Amino acid sequence: MTPDQVRGGLWAVVPAAGRGARFGGDVPKQYLEVAGELLLAHTLRALLAHPKVHGAVVVLAEGDERWPGWREFEGKPLRTCTGGDARADSVLAGLAALPDSVRADDFVLVHDAARPNLPAADLDQLLERGRNDPVGAILAAPVRDTLKRSGDDGGIDRTEPRERLWRALTPQLFRRLQLTRALESARAAGVDVTDESMAIERQGQRPLLVEGSDDNFKITTPADLARFEFALSRRS
C-alpha cells in the first residue's frame, strides 16, 4: 500500500501560486535556486522528511510552466492543482485536491512555499500538541521588538504593548472540513483572510499557539535568501 492509499494519512497543502518576483527578475521566488535546488524543493523536504507526513498537494499558478513535474518527493506522493489569485482560493483548491483517503475530520497542514527552513523539532511539537487540541494549532513566535504605531505623517503616535502578541508562522494545522468551511465562509463574506487561522477564528474558534523558532522565516527579500543560504552552509 502506498502512502497515497493510507486512510487518514496526514497530508500538507503548499500554496505556491504566487507570481511575484520581488527580487528584480521574472522568476517567482519559489523557483529561485539555492544550493543547487529550487527553493520549493527545500520547503517540500522540510515537510516530507517527517515520518508522520504522508504526502503533499502543491498549489500552482494557472499556466505555471516552471513546475518540474514531480510526482513524488522524499519517496512520498505529490499532487498538484491550480490555485487562485487570493491565498484562501489557493488553499481551498488544495484542500479539494487531497486524496479521498484524507477524511473530513483528519488534520491537514498548510505551509508557505517560501518557508524552506522549518525545523523538524517545531513540526514535531505542532503535530504532537495540535492534534490533541479540539480546534487545531499554528506555529507562532512571540513578538520581542518594541512596537510603534505611526501617524499619517510618518511620525510615532504611540508605543503599543507587545505582551501576548505573536507572529503567525506556518505550518498551520486544522481539520480538512472545518478549514474548508471556514475559508468558504470568509470568501462569501468578502473577507480577505491572511492566514488559515484567521478564517477559523471568524468561526468563534480559538486555535492553539505553539511556539516555533525564528529560524522558520519567510523568504520575501534578497536578505532572507542570503540568510537561508547561510543556514544551509552551516548544516554541511
Side-chain angles (χ1 to χ4, degrees):
M1 181 177 289
T2 68
D4 201 11
Q5 297 169 318
V6 175
R7 184 167 179 78
L10 180 66
W11 276 63
V13 172
V14 181
R19 299 175 182 272
R22 301 184 185 182
F23 301 163
D26 61 353
V27 180
K29 58 189 174 184
Q30 64 268 24
Y31 291 126
L32 294 173
E33 191 169 295
V34 184
E37 289 191 290
L38 299 182
L39 185 70
L40 181 57
H42 292 285
T43 299
L44 290 173
R45 182 171 295 109
L47 282 172
L48 294 173
H50 195 284
K52 292 183 180 177
V53 180
H54 290 189
V57 175
V58 181
V59 187
L60 306 174
E62 185 174 359
D64 186 339
E65 297 180 351
R66 297 182 183 273
W67 170 249
W70 297 323
R71 301 293 297 273
E72 65 173 35
F73 203 91
E74 291 289 311
K76 297 176 181 179
L78 282 184
R79 293 186 170 200
T80 59
C81 66
T82 300
D85 292 334
R87 178 189 176 91
D89 294 331
S90 292
V91 175
L92 278 169
L95 291 168
L98 289 166
D100 292 340
S101 60
V102 183
R103 298 167 295 189
D105 61 346
D106 283 337
F107 280 104
V108 175
L109 291 163
V110 182
H111 186 53
D112 294 331
R115 288 189 190 272
N117 206 39
L118 169 66
D122 286 5
L123 185 51
D124 279 336
Q125 283 295 307
L126 179 68
L127 296 180
E128 180 179 345
R129 298 184 60 192
R131 292 200 291 185
N132 289 315
D133 189 88
V135 177
I138 73 170
L139 284 180
V143 171
R144 296 183 174 89
D145 296 320
T146 298
L147 298 176
K148 305 292 185 182
R149 183 175 294 277
S150 69
D152 293 338
D153 61 354
I156 296 173
D157 279 352
R158 61 182 178 274
T159 299
E160 298 285 1
R162 66 189 176 194
E163 291 76 14
R164 299 190 180 183
L165 291 180
W166 295 68
R167 295 185 293 109
L169 311 174
T170 69
Q172 303 194 355
L173 180 75
F174 298 107
R175 289 180 171 83
R176 181 181 187 178
L177 182 59
Q178 180 187 33
L179 180 55
T180 297
R181 288 179 172 172
L183 290 169
E184 288 175 343
S185 173
R187 182 169 63 181
V191 176
D192 182 18
V193 294
T194 54
D195 72 348
E196 293 65 53
S197 179
M198 181 178 173
I200 297 291
E201 293 160 37
R202 289 189 68 255
Q203 305 300 299
Q205 302 295 318
R206 301 179 68 242
L208 182 68
L209 290 164
V210 176
E211 184 169 352
S213 168
D214 288 327
D215 289 340
N216 183 15
F217 54 90
K218 190 173 183 178
I219 306 295
T220 57
T221 69
D224 297 326
L225 197 65
R227 179 182 176 187
F228 179 52
E229 289 175 329
F230 178 71
L232 285 175
S233 72
R234 290 177 63 86
R235 295 178 193 173
S236 56

